[in-house]
């Protein structure tokens, strides 16, 4: 226990002796992990909004006029049983007419056409895919279904949304990895400078019989502490910034949602803290491995 106390005491002493260098390392880790955690949080915001937008993506199956009410109910039940379908609801001719009147409220010519032909618009089934990528299969199945006159979907918009979602996810992870590597390198450089500043003291300790690991451990603890402090600051900064964004940007359109589940923030925040500690240990280990004073 005495040795453990000594090792932690030395680590804290190292932090105090090289306060400016340590502060620079903590700030560097803070910046790197802030960008990393911010990237992860922004990626979650994009994912949440993509799912929200996907809820509005529907395939419209226009029904033939001679389809009976019983056949319509059977068709709705059949479509809702498909594994690719999350939800399906029926829109009658009257509901389609009311919807069109609202949609074309600024188009007098179209309104006249609708008033002269109130039965112009057919009844339809609005189908929501379980996953936006399933829309193509749903369209194919609906086109071959008896009683369906025509099928419409925002195919190009859905493909663009899927491509945007996948592209942003890849970009976020690549950026997070790059910033993580930068954090490790910055800690390694800081520990290297600390070892160089104490090289004479380290050599004296080795001459009086101190083992390499006894000398190394305070530097490992120092790196872990730097990573932990930098990670904690990064988590606090992003969480506060996200909450402020939700509060201050409450007037954003309904289709933009900046809110994130607290469980996600807690889980990812804990991972950032763990990564900060691991980054500190890895950076310290790399620095110790290349420093000739502490080579085994």
């Amino acid at each position: 226990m005495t040795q453990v106390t000594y090792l932690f005491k030395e680590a804290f002493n190292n932090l105090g002796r090289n306060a400016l260098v340590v502060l620079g390392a903590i700030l560097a880790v803070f910046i790197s992990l802030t960008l990393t955690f911010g990237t992860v949080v922004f990626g979650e915001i994009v994912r949440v909004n993509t799912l929200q937008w996907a809820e509005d993506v529907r395939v419209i199956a226009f029904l033939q006029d001679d389809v009976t009410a019983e056949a319509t109910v059977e068709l709705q039940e059949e479509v809702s049983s498909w594994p690719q379908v999350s939800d399906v609801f029926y829109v009658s001719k009257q509901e389609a007419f009311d919807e069109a009147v609202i949609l074309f409220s600024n188009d007098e010519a179209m309104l006249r056409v609708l008033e002269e032909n109130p039965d112009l618009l057919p009844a339809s089934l609005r189908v929501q895919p379980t996953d936006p990528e399933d829309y193509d299969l749903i369209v194919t199945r609906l086109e071959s279904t008896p009683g369906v006159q025509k099928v419409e979907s925002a195919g190009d918009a859905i493909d663009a949304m899927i491509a945007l979602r996948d592209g942003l996810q890849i970009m976020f992870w690549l950026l997070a990895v790059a910033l993580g590597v930068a954090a490790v390198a910055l800690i390694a450089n800081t520990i290297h400078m600390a070892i160089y500043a104490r090289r004479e003291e380290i050599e004296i300790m080795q001459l009086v019989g101190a083992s390499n690991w006894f000398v190394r451990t305070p530097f490992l603890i120092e790196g872990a502490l730097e990573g932990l402090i930098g990670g904690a600051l990064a988590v606090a900064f992003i969480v506060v910034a996200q909450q402020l964004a939700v509060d201050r940007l409450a007037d954003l359109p309904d289709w933009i949602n900046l809110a994130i589940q607290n469980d996600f923030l807690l889980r990812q925040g804990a991972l950032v803290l763990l990564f900060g500690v691991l980054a500190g240990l890895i950076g310290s280990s790399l620095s110790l491995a290349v420093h000739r004073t502490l080579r085994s």
Side-chain angles (χ1 to χ4, degrees):
M1 181 63 69
T2 303
Q3 283 191 342
V4 173
T5 303
Y6 170 80
L7 294 175
F8 274 92
K9 182 179 179 181
E10 276 298 298
F12 282 105
N13 287 338
N14 289 344
L15 295 174
R17 291 191 191 102
N18 306 286
L20 290 178
V21 176
V22 169
L23 179 61
I26 291 175
L27 289 176
V29 174
F30 162 70
I31 293 171
S32 296
L33 294 186
T34 295
L35 292 174
T36 302
F37 190 38
T39 296
V40 173
V41 170
F42 184 66
E44 176 66 7
I45 291 175
V46 170
R47 188 190 72 82
V48 168
N49 281 274
T50 300
L51 291 176
Q52 182 175 316
W53 300 334
E55 291 180 357
D56 297 327
V57 172
R58 296 187 183 272
V59 177
I60 304 176
F62 295 103
L63 304 180
Q64 298 173 355
D65 290 337
D66 57 356
V67 177
T68 64
E70 293 78 7
T72 300
V73 172
E74 292 178 0
L75 177 58
Q76 183 175 354
E77 291 177 350
E78 177 190 349
V79 173
S80 64
S81 68
W82 296 349
Q84 300 84 11
V85 173
S86 173
D87 182 36
V88 55
F89 64 90
Y90 172 72
V91 177
S92 66
K93 281 178 171 288
Q94 182 60 48
E95 289 171 333
F97 174 80
D98 295 339
E99 187 179 69
V101 169
I102 296 174
L103 184 63
F104 297 106
S105 59
N106 296 323
D107 190 334
E108 295 183 1
M110 181 60 71
L111 289 176
R112 282 198 299 270
V113 171
L114 291 172
E115 291 173 357
E116 294 172 0
N117 303 278
D119 292 332
L120 179 64
L121 299 175
S124 64
L125 292 179
R126 307 289 174 89
V127 183
Q128 179 184 341
T130 301
D131 188 304
E133 296 183 19
D134 294 331
Y135 84 92
D136 200 21
L137 179 59
I138 293 174
V139 170
T140 302
R141 295 188 67 175
L142 285 173
E143 288 176 340
S144 60
T145 300
V148 175
Q149 175 183 358
K150 185 181 179 182
V151 181
E152 293 286 350
S153 69
D156 293 339
I158 296 173
D159 289 337
M161 182 181 66
I162 293 171
L164 175 64
R165 179 195 65 186
D166 295 343
L168 287 175
Q169 285 179 343
I170 293 173
M171 182 190 73
F172 292 149
W173 283 113
L174 289 176
L175 182 58
V177 170
L179 292 171
V181 172
V184 171
L186 288 167
I187 292 176
N189 182 64
T190 302
I191 299 300
H192 179 80
M193 294 175 64
I195 295 173
Y196 183 79
R198 297 184 58 207
R199 62 190 184 280
E200 294 181 358
E201 180 183 343
I202 291 171
E203 290 175 356
I204 293 173
M205 292 176 65
Q206 290 176 325
L207 287 175
V208 297
S211 66
N212 269 350
W213 279 111
F214 186 79
V215 178
R216 289 169 183 242
T217 302
F219 293 106
L220 293 172
I221 297 174
E222 178 184 349
L225 288 173
E226 291 173 359
L228 178 62
I229 295 171
L233 292 174
V235 171
F237 179 83
I238 292 298
V239 170
V240 171
Q242 188 268 336
Q243 295 298 327
L244 285 176
V246 172
D247 295 338
R248 299 291 178 85
L249 302 178
D251 296 333
L252 287 175
D254 293 337
W255 51 272
I256 299 179
N257 182 17
L258 298 179
I260 298 178
Q261 294 292 330
N262 289 331
D263 289 346
F264 175 85
L265 291 174
L266 289 174
R267 288 196 308 270
Q268 299 303 319
L271 289 177
V272 169
L273 292 178
L274 178 60
F275 178 80
V277 174
L278 289 177
L281 291 173
I282 293 172
S284 301
S285 299
L286 291 174
S287 182
L288 292 167
V290 301
H291 204 287
R292 65 179 185 179
T293 303
L294 292 175
R295 284 181 183 172
S296 300

